[in-house]
Amino acid sequence: MPLSRKLLTATLLPACVVGGLLVSATSASANVAVTQVSADPFTDAQAQHRTEVEPDTFAFGNTIVAAFQVGRVSGGGSSDIGFATSTDGGATWTQGFLPGTTANTGGPCGQISDAAVAFDAKHNVWLISSLGVNCPSGTPVFTSRSTDGGKTFGNPITTATGSLDKNWIVCDNTATSPFFGNCYTQYDITSSGDSIRMKTSSDGGLTWGPARATGDNATGLGGQPVVRPNGTVLVPYLSLNDQIRSFRSVDGGASWRSTVLVSSISHHDAAGGLREEALPSAEIDSTGTAYVAWSDCRFRAGCPSNDIVLAKSTSETTWAAPTRVPIDATTSTVDHFVPGIGVDPSTSGTSARIGLTYYFYPTANCTAATCQLDVGFISSTNGGTSWSTATQVAGPMNLSWIPNTSQGRMFGDYISTSVRAGGNAFPVVPIASAPSGSAFTMGMFAPTGGLPLTGGARRTADTPALPAPAAQPAPGSTTTIT
């Protein structure tokens, strides 16, 4: 029998839960108070407990929903997908766990992974996309639906089957769009060279149409679809030859065009055996400008560490050259990686309000024993022309405090930031402290009350760009990073 959300909340949560709220804390060396919004309650022997990793978030009105892996399994996936929901603009949070996924919740799969959140305004339904692992049907993409404002979710609907990976979901929420109410799921087929596929739903995620390839049969992973107000869907993704590329649909997902180049990538692999990659993080503003951020070392001579870079597009098919987010000097020792970008959906262009959360090492040249992992945040109020002073949200964390995987220590292949219209930014991020005995102490946290977007005078042009090295062809093998 599946464990009910009420049972989990009542019996398995740690003692820090008080009256439905999780207590606030300030991380050592950090500059902001954070509130724990979820904790791992499971006890299955396969997983590394108490761990929660790899969050996505989405905000609509006063509601913010985050989803993430709970109880990370070294070989892939987790015990279940958890979610944390605020219906009062981030003031208070409740947590829950998706039913019908793994054996922990009455589902068919051994593990589950890759959570992504969307809201369908036309059908008033919250959606969490996830990836089943070791299921009877392989590694299927699921969609879990909530019709009560993100407070509870039903058993998952199978969206796609096969050997799949790195799913993502988005919905068209512009009432004047010709495709208002369409939702789009992206994933790649690992058994077919990471071939990218898209599926479309027009009934709130209940049913999904046929799988469609891009016009040039693109391969890659980590696509993050965003929807312009005119209904065009843009999907930036990481190609297999070290490029960020993008493709689009102009007919509500009936067909998908050939891909175009956003930029080549120059990437410094994080030290210490940390699992990280230059996956893109994408957002859209109110008039349809697309923003894509990733970690890149092109601005640092010799590629000793990464900056976070940002590329923008207003034309759907062409992208401006990436600019460096000026968190610190290009001569610093800091390595920045795994960004999560958020854009105020009520702003645009030169007035776009951007919040950017990222992880970093203060010293890039470190080892598994000496690396110090931190969370940072920076903001812009003029579309990324200039930026605030960065602030440290959490850390430092030792790498031994976070779960191990077959591809290195992991806090997630991606993170997320959501900016409320006219309000603060709400990243929900995994933060770890020293383990307690044999168990980890790693849960999901949000900045208490959110982070203000202040902007500032740090300009992207303060450091001139160095030429980016040419992208090198990738090996012929496929990439699986569940």
mmCIF file of all heavy atoms in Angstrom, residues 387-418:
data_model
loop_
_atom_site.group_PDB
_atom_site.id
_atom_site.type_symbol
_atom_site.label_atom_id
_atom_site.label_comp_id
_atom_site.label_asym_id
_atom_site.label_seq_id
_atom_site.Cartn_x
_atom_site.Cartn_y
_atom_site.Cartn_z
ATOM 1 N N TRP A 387 24.713 44.230 -12.616
ATOM 2 C CA TRP A 387 24.325 43.273 -11.587
ATOM 3 C C TRP A 387 24.639 43.795 -10.192
ATOM 4 O O TRP A 387 25.494 44.676 -10.013
ATOM 5 C CB TRP A 387 25.056 41.946 -11.804
ATOM 6 C CG TRP A 387 24.684 41.269 -13.080
ATOM 7 C CD1 TRP A 387 25.156 41.566 -14.335
ATOM 8 C CD2 TRP A 387 23.745 40.207 -13.256
ATOM 9 N NE1 TRP A 387 24.577 40.748 -15.268
ATOM 10 C CE2 TRP A 387 23.712 39.902 -14.639
ATOM 11 C CE3 TRP A 387 22.952 39.477 -12.371
ATOM 12 C CZ2 TRP A 387 22.890 38.894 -15.149
ATOM 13 C CZ3 TRP A 387 22.149 38.466 -12.876
ATOM 14 C CH2 TRP A 387 22.113 38.191 -14.261
ATOM 15 N N SER A 388 23.966 43.206 -9.220
ATOM 16 C CA SER A 388 24.211 43.522 -7.818
ATOM 17 C C SER A 388 25.521 42.909 -7.359
ATOM 18 O O SER A 388 26.162 42.131 -8.069
ATOM 19 C CB SER A 388 23.068 42.961 -6.965
ATOM 20 O OG SER A 388 23.109 41.536 -6.963
ATOM 21 N N THR A 389 25.901 43.240 -6.144
ATOM 22 C CA THR A 389 26.957 42.488 -5.471
ATOM 23 C C THR A 389 26.408 41.117 -5.109
ATOM 24 O O THR A 389 25.267 40.988 -4.672
ATOM 25 C CB THR A 389 27.403 43.230 -4.208
ATOM 26 O OG1 THR A 389 27.908 44.516 -4.576
ATOM 27 C CG2 THR A 389 28.477 42.457 -3.462
ATOM 28 N N ALA A 390 27.206 40.093 -5.307
ATOM 29 C CA ALA A 390 26.760 38.735 -4.999
ATOM 30 C C ALA A 390 26.669 38.532 -3.490
ATOM 31 O O ALA A 390 27.397 39.170 -2.713
ATOM 32 C CB ALA A 390 27.717 37.721 -5.600
ATOM 33 N N THR A 391 25.759 37.658 -3.089
ATOM 34 C CA THR A 391 25.637 37.304 -1.689
ATOM 35 C C THR A 391 25.741 35.802 -1.525
ATOM 36 O O THR A 391 25.371 35.037 -2.430
ATOM 37 C CB THR A 391 24.297 37.809 -1.099
ATOM 38 O OG1 THR A 391 24.299 37.628 0.310
ATOM 39 C CG2 THR A 391 23.116 37.058 -1.685
ATOM 40 N N GLN A 392 26.266 35.356 -0.402
ATOM 41 C CA GLN A 392 26.389 33.933 -0.125
ATOM 42 C C GLN A 392 25.141 33.466 0.610
ATOM 43 O O GLN A 392 24.814 33.961 1.685
ATOM 44 C CB GLN A 392 27.628 33.640 0.710
ATOM 45 C CG GLN A 392 27.894 32.160 0.929
ATOM 46 C CD GLN A 392 29.222 31.890 1.618
ATOM 47 O OE1 GLN A 392 30.139 32.702 1.529
ATOM 48 N NE2 GLN A 392 29.313 30.754 2.293
ATOM 49 N N VAL A 393 24.444 32.502 0.021
ATOM 50 C CA VAL A 393 23.199 31.988 0.586
ATOM 51 C C VAL A 393 23.458 30.861 1.569
ATOM 52 O O VAL A 393 22.773 30.743 2.587
ATOM 53 C CB VAL A 393 22.263 31.516 -0.549
ATOM 54 C CG1 VAL A 393 20.993 30.883 0.010
ATOM 55 C CG2 VAL A 393 21.923 32.669 -1.483
ATOM 56 N N ALA A 394 24.428 30.025 1.280
ATOM 57 C CA ALA A 394 24.702 28.861 2.142
ATOM 58 C C ALA A 394 26.142 28.419 1.965
ATOM 59 O O ALA A 394 26.786 28.728 0.970
ATOM 60 C CB ALA A 394 23.756 27.715 1.817
ATOM 61 N N GLY A 395 26.608 27.661 2.949
ATOM 62 C CA GLY A 395 27.957 27.127 2.915
ATOM 63 C C GLY A 395 28.842 27.784 3.959
ATOM 64 O O GLY A 395 28.436 28.731 4.634
ATOM 65 N N PRO A 396 30.085 27.264 4.072
ATOM 66 C CA PRO A 396 30.670 26.214 3.245
ATOM 67 C C PRO A 396 30.234 24.813 3.658
ATOM 68 O O PRO A 396 29.925 24.556 4.818
ATOM 69 C CB PRO A 396 32.164 26.396 3.470
ATOM 70 C CG PRO A 396 32.262 26.971 4.852
ATOM 71 C CD PRO A 396 31.054 27.841 5.024
ATOM 72 N N MET A 397 30.210 23.922 2.652
ATOM 73 C CA MET A 397 29.881 22.520 2.871
ATOM 74 C C MET A 397 31.053 21.659 2.404
ATOM 75 O O MET A 397 31.642 21.924 1.348
ATOM 76 C CB MET A 397 28.629 22.138 2.082
ATOM 77 C CG MET A 397 27.361 22.842 2.524
ATOM 78 S SD MET A 397 25.960 22.500 1.416
ATOM 79 C CE MET A 397 26.127 23.842 0.232
ATOM 80 N N ASN A 398 31.370 20.641 3.179
ATOM 81 C CA ASN A 398 32.360 19.660 2.747
ATOM 82 C C ASN A 398 31.712 18.690 1.761
ATOM 83 O O ASN A 398 30.534 18.336 1.902
ATOM 84 C CB ASN A 398 32.904 18.880 3.943
ATOM 85 C CG ASN A 398 33.673 19.767 4.910
ATOM 86 O OD1 ASN A 398 34.205 20.802 4.521
ATOM 87 N ND2 ASN A 398 33.718 19.359 6.171
ATOM 88 N N LEU A 399 32.475 18.220 0.790
ATOM 89 C CA LEU A 399 31.910 17.295 -0.187
ATOM 90 C C LEU A 399 31.478 15.978 0.460
ATOM 91 O O LEU A 399 30.559 15.318 -0.038
ATOM 92 C CB LEU A 399 32.911 17.030 -1.308
ATOM 93 C CG LEU A 399 33.298 18.238 -2.174
ATOM 94 C CD1 LEU A 399 34.098 17.776 -3.386
ATOM 95 C CD2 LEU A 399 32.072 19.027 -2.610
ATOM 96 N N SER A 400 32.109 15.596 1.550
ATOM 97 C CA SER A 400 31.726 14.356 2.227
ATOM 98 C C SER A 400 30.350 14.461 2.875
ATOM 99 O O SER A 400 29.802 13.443 3.313
ATOM 100 C CB SER A 400 32.767 13.992 3.290
ATOM 101 O OG SER A 400 32.844 14.998 4.288
ATOM 102 N N TRP A 401 29.787 15.661 2.932
ATOM 103 C CA TRP A 401 28.467 15.847 3.517
ATOM 104 C C TRP A 401 27.337 15.577 2.530
ATOM 105 O O TRP A 401 26.165 15.582 2.923
ATOM 106 C CB TRP A 401 28.306 17.269 4.034
ATOM 107 C CG TRP A 401 29.249 17.652 5.128
ATOM 108 C CD1 TRP A 401 30.163 16.862 5.758
ATOM 109 C CD2 TRP A 401 29.379 18.948 5.729
ATOM 110 N NE1 TRP A 401 30.845 17.578 6.709
ATOM 111 C CE2 TRP A 401 30.386 18.869 6.708
ATOM 112 C CE3 TRP A 401 28.733 20.167 5.523
ATOM 113 C CZ2 TRP A 401 30.769 19.960 7.483
ATOM 114 C CZ3 TRP A 401 29.099 21.262 6.295
ATOM 115 C CH2 TRP A 401 30.109 21.154 7.257
ATOM 116 N N ILE A 402 27.654 15.401 1.245
ATOM 117 C CA ILE A 402 26.615 15.220 0.239
ATOM 118 C C ILE A 402 26.721 13.811 -0.350
ATOM 119 O O ILE A 402 27.792 13.199 -0.317
ATOM 120 C CB ILE A 402 26.685 16.298 -0.862
ATOM 121 C CG1 ILE A 402 27.977 16.188 -1.675
ATOM 122 C CG2 ILE A 402 26.562 17.692 -0.243
ATOM 123 C CD1 ILE A 402 28.062 17.210 -2.804
ATOM 124 N N PRO A 403 25.615 13.266 -0.882
ATOM 125 C CA PRO A 403 25.623 11.856 -1.290
ATOM 126 C C PRO A 403 26.545 11.594 -2.470
ATOM 127 O O PRO A 403 26.795 12.471 -3.306
ATOM 128 C CB PRO A 403 24.163 11.598 -1.673
ATOM 129 C CG PRO A 403 23.601 12.939 -1.988
ATOM 130 C CD PRO A 403 24.300 13.892 -1.083
ATOM 131 N N ASN A 404 27.010 10.359 -2.532
ATOM 132 C CA ASN A 404 27.888 9.943 -3.613
ATOM 133 C C ASN A 404 27.062 9.265 -4.699
ATOM 134 O O ASN A 404 26.000 8.702 -4.437
ATOM 135 C CB ASN A 404 28.954 8.988 -3.092
ATOM 136 C CG ASN A 404 30.246 9.090 -3.884
ATOM 137 O OD1 ASN A 404 30.339 9.820 -4.863
ATOM 138 N ND2 ASN A 404 31.250 8.337 -3.466
ATOM 139 N N THR A 405 27.551 9.329 -5.935
ATOM 140 C CA THR A 405 26.920 8.634 -7.051
ATOM 141 C C THR A 405 28.004 7.976 -7.886
ATOM 142 O O THR A 405 29.202 8.183 -7.659
ATOM 143 C CB THR A 405 26.120 9.595 -7.952
ATOM 144 O OG1 THR A 405 27.022 10.369 -8.758
ATOM 145 C CG2 THR A 405 25.245 10.538 -7.124
ATOM 146 N N SER A 406 27.571 7.218 -8.887
ATOM 147 C CA SER A 406 28.531 6.578 -9.780
ATOM 148 C C SER A 406 29.306 7.583 -10.612
ATOM 149 O O SER A 406 30.305 7.236 -11.240
ATOM 150 C CB SER A 406 27.795 5.604 -10.707
ATOM 151 O OG SER A 406 26.804 6.287 -11.453
ATOM 152 N N GLN A 407 28.868 8.846 -10.599
ATOM 153 C CA GLN A 407 29.540 9.903 -11.354
ATOM 154 C C GLN A 407 30.044 11.032 -10.470
ATOM 155 O O GLN A 407 30.330 12.115 -10.961
ATOM 156 C CB GLN A 407 28.581 10.455 -12.423
ATOM 157 C CG GLN A 407 28.213 9.411 -13.475
ATOM 158 C CD GLN A 407 27.049 9.840 -14.330
ATOM 159 O OE1 GLN A 407 25.975 10.143 -13.838
ATOM 160 N NE2 GLN A 407 27.257 9.873 -15.633
ATOM 161 N N GLY A 408 30.158 10.774 -9.176
ATOM 162 C CA GLY A 408 30.720 11.758 -8.270
ATOM 163 C C GLY A 408 29.734 12.253 -7.235
ATOM 164 O O GLY A 408 28.537 11.943 -7.277
ATOM 165 N N ARG A 409 30.242 12.994 -6.275
ATOM 166 C CA ARG A 409 29.389 13.601 -5.250
ATOM 167 C C ARG A 409 28.364 14.518 -5.907
ATOM 168 O O ARG A 409 28.659 15.240 -6.841
ATOM 169 C CB ARG A 409 30.239 14.391 -4.259
ATOM 170 C CG ARG A 409 31.190 13.541 -3.431
ATOM 171 C CD ARG A 409 30.474 12.855 -2.280
ATOM 172 N NE ARG A 409 31.376 12.000 -1.494
ATOM 173 C CZ ARG A 409 31.015 11.405 -0.368
ATOM 174 N NH1 ARG A 409 29.796 11.566 0.103
ATOM 175 N NH2 ARG A 409 31.876 10.631 0.272
ATOM 176 N N MET A 410 27.129 14.541 -5.372
ATOM 177 C CA MET A 410 26.036 15.175 -6.098
ATOM 178 C C MET A 410 25.123 15.976 -5.189
ATOM 179 O O MET A 410 24.610 15.480 -4.197
ATOM 180 C CB MET A 410 25.198 14.113 -6.812
ATOM 181 C CG MET A 410 24.016 14.651 -7.572
ATOM 182 S SD MET A 410 23.001 13.296 -8.200
ATOM 183 C CE MET A 410 21.759 14.196 -9.118
ATOM 184 N N PHE A 411 24.907 17.250 -5.561
ATOM 185 C CA PHE A 411 23.806 18.021 -4.995
ATOM 186 C C PHE A 411 22.701 18.186 -6.027
ATOM 187 O O PHE A 411 21.604 18.650 -5.703
ATOM 188 C CB PHE A 411 24.277 19.400 -4.504
ATOM 189 C CG PHE A 411 24.912 20.243 -5.574
ATOM 190 C CD1 PHE A 411 24.140 21.023 -6.411
ATOM 191 C CD2 PHE A 411 26.290 20.277 -5.740
ATOM 192 C CE1 PHE A 411 24.717 21.810 -7.402
ATOM 193 C CE2 PHE A 411 26.881 21.045 -6.710
ATOM 194 C CZ PHE A 411 26.080 21.820 -7.552
ATOM 195 N N GLY A 412 22.985 17.809 -7.283
ATOM 196 C CA GLY A 412 22.005 17.868 -8.359
ATOM 197 C C GLY A 412 22.670 18.252 -9.660
ATOM 198 O O GLY A 412 23.663 18.984 -9.675
ATOM 199 N N ASP A 413 22.117 17.770 -10.768
ATOM 200 C CA ASP A 413 22.606 18.187 -12.080
ATOM 201 C C ASP A 413 22.080 19.565 -12.444
ATOM 202 O O ASP A 413 22.561 20.190 -13.389
ATOM 203 C CB ASP A 413 22.176 17.184 -13.152
ATOM 204 C CG ASP A 413 22.785 15.812 -12.944
ATOM 205 O OD1 ASP A 413 23.910 15.746 -12.405
ATOM 206 O OD2 ASP A 413 22.149 14.815 -13.308
ATOM 207 N N TYR A 414 21.063 20.027 -11.724
ATOM 208 C CA TYR A 414 20.514 21.362 -11.960
ATOM 209 C C TYR A 414 19.901 21.873 -10.670
ATOM 210 O O TYR A 414 19.609 21.109 -9.738
ATOM 211 C CB TYR A 414 19.460 21.345 -13.086
ATOM 212 C CG TYR A 414 18.373 20.308 -12.908
ATOM 213 C CD1 TYR A 414 17.280 20.540 -12.071
ATOM 214 C CD2 TYR A 414 18.428 19.088 -13.574
ATOM 215 C CE1 TYR A 414 16.286 19.589 -11.913
ATOM 216 C CE2 TYR A 414 17.439 18.124 -13.423
ATOM 217 C CZ TYR A 414 16.364 18.388 -12.592
ATOM 218 O OH TYR A 414 15.376 17.441 -12.428
ATOM 219 N N ILE A 415 19.720 23.194 -10.622
ATOM 220 C CA ILE A 415 18.952 23.844 -9.566
ATOM 221 C C ILE A 415 18.022 24.842 -10.240
ATOM 222 O O ILE A 415 17.978 24.926 -11.474
ATOM 223 C CB ILE A 415 19.847 24.545 -8.513
ATOM 224 C CG1 ILE A 415 20.687 25.645 -9.174
ATOM 225 C CG2 ILE A 415 20.726 23.540 -7.792
ATOM 226 C CD1 ILE A 415 21.404 26.537 -8.170
ATOM 227 N N SER A 416 17.277 25.611 -9.458
ATOM 228 C CA SER A 416 16.263 26.483 -10.045
ATOM 229 C C SER A 416 16.047 27.713 -9.180
ATOM 230 O O SER A 416 16.249 27.667 -7.960
ATOM 231 C CB SER A 416 14.945 25.706 -10.187
ATOM 232 O OG SER A 416 13.899 26.525 -10.627
ATOM 233 N N THR A 417 15.638 28.793 -9.834
ATOM 234 C CA THR A 417 15.210 30.011 -9.152
ATOM 235 C C THR A 417 13.896 30.454 -9.767
ATOM 236 O O THR A 417 13.756 30.465 -10.997
ATOM 237 C CB THR A 417 16.233 31.139 -9.302
ATOM 238 O OG1 THR A 417 17.504 30.706 -8.805
ATOM 239 C CG2 THR A 417 15.801 32.391 -8.553
ATOM 240 N N SER A 418 12.914 30.795 -8.949
ATOM 241 C CA SER A 418 11.669 31.382 -9.434
ATOM 242 C C SER A 418 11.529 32.778 -8.839
ATOM 243 O O SER A 418 11.763 32.982 -7.643
ATOM 244 C CB SER A 418 10.465 30.525 -9.038
ATOM 245 O OG SER A 418 10.467 29.309 -9.761
#
